[in-house]
Amino acid sequence: LRGPLPIVRSGLDLVRWLHMLAEEDTPSNATAAAKLYLRISRGWQILPQGTTMDLQWTRNYKSATDASITVDEELTRLQSDGFLLTLEQARQLFPPLRGLDRPNVINAMGCVIKMSAGKRKIRLVLDCSAPRGRSLNDIMEIPPTRLTSVQQARAGLASLSRHPHPKVHQFKLDLKDAFLQNPNSAQSTSLLGIEWNGQFYVYRCMPFGAASAPSAQQTLSCALARGVLRRWERAGFVVG
């Protein structure tokens, strides 16, 4: 890795964080940390090695074309944050894309606008499930993902409220642009293309809409939480 990705803002940069995970004292945790290090340093592989796809181009949805100014602004932000590249930029960075005049897969893009805490939140979503039956999501490997149910979360919070110690604290991690914190491999970028106003772009990180994104994000989030907890343990906190 040439430098830390913008994953943590608390001074825990990516390289030091992964080295911390590598100090896990149980074999299963150490193995998981090593695999995660390789995935992040090489990027997430969208399709299994050796798998190819025919050229595809699915048109953008009305939710995007009807909000052109909003989409323009969000695309500019994504480029500024390093999540999105023009095809010309991608050709310079990734040898597998050199010589391409367009991304191999151009996905349909939609725009979701919602209000959160009184602020407007914009999310561009790729429909990687189109065209049906031969889409990117149809052929990618999707690792199993088990999320905590609402009932389990409520039970955990209830147990904390009954804890006998007077100084029990709980917290949550909220990762901005969560899926986009997962870098893709060079080979995968040409599969995550979009077209907007005649310009081709590719996602260098996991976009919303890829079926394997939740699993990638869960893996990263669990490891990140583990790294934070280890840091707190070294600072003298009792973590459980």
Side-chain angles (χ1 to χ4, degrees):
L1 293 176
R2 296 185 178 181
L5 293 173
I7 293 180
V8 185
R9 296 183 179 178
S10 62
L12 182 61
D13 67 56
L14 179 64
V15 175
R16 285 190 297 164
W17 167 58
L18 289 172
H19 286 169
M20 184 185 299
L21 290 179
E23 298 173 4
E24 292 281 0
D25 51 11
T26 60
S28 59
N29 289 341
T31 299
K35 289 181 178 179
L36 181 62
Y37 186 93
L38 289 176
R39 284 181 175 178
I40 292 180
S41 60
R42 298 174 181 176
W44 296 88
Q45 191 73 26
I46 297 296
L47 295 181
Q49 289 284 355
T51 304
T52 59
M53 282 193 68
D54 295 331
L55 295 177
Q56 293 183 4
W57 189 337
T58 311
R59 302 296 176 180
N60 294 326
Y61 288 104
K62 196 170 184 290
S63 62
T65 56
D66 283 355
S68 58
I69 296 177
T70 298
V71 173
D72 285 338
E73 293 172 349
E74 183 64 5
L75 290 177
T76 298
R77 185 188 75 83
L78 293 176
Q79 290 181 77
S80 176
D81 289 344
F83 301 134
L84 189 73
L85 301 172
T86 64
L87 184 59
E88 290 75 16
Q89 292 171 327
R91 288 196 197 105
Q92 297 176 9
L93 289 174
F94 304 122
L97 272 67
R98 292 172 187 167
L100 295 182
D101 58 2
R102 49 153 288 183
N104 289 335
V105 178
I106 302 172
N107 300 275
M109 178 175 58
C111 179
V112 177
I113 304 175
K114 64 179 183 179
M115 298 300 295
S116 177
K119 296 182 180 180
R120 194 173 69 151
K121 187 174 183 179
I122 311 300
R123 178 169 293 172
L124 300 183
V125 182
L126 306 192
D127 187 0
C128 298
S129 295
R132 310 303 178 195
R134 53 190 181 89
S135 70
L136 188 60
N137 281 347
D138 286 324
I139 63 175
M140 72 169 58
E141 288 185 335
I142 306 175
T145 304
R146 294 187 63 184
L147 301 176
T148 301
S149 68
V150 174
Q151 291 78 11
Q152 289 173 321
R154 287 176 176 172
L157 293 174
S159 67
L160 282 177
S161 65
R162 296 190 299 268
H163 199 284
H165 197 286
K167 293 184 178 180
V168 173
H169 302 279
Q170 55 184 307
F171 74 98
K172 70 171 184 175
L173 295 176
D174 189 4
L175 302 182
K176 182 182 178 182
D177 295 316
F179 289 177
L180 294 170
Q181 303 293 352
N182 297 272
N184 293 316
S185 67
Q187 294 80 4
S188 298
T189 51
S190 67
L191 303 172
L192 298 170
I194 57 173
E195 181 274 335
W196 185 251
N197 292 334
Q199 175 77 53
F200 293 125
Y201 302 88
V202 294
Y203 275 82
R204 67 182 305 176
C205 300
M206 191 74 76
F208 292 92
S212 58
S215 177
Q217 182 58 36
Q218 184 188 39
T219 301
L220 184 64
S221 297
C222 290
L224 175 58
R226 180 62 178 159
V228 171
L229 295 179
R230 283 182 65 89
R231 203 177 202 198
W232 284 4
E233 287 174 343
R234 291 181 177 180
F237 288 92
V238 177
V239 179

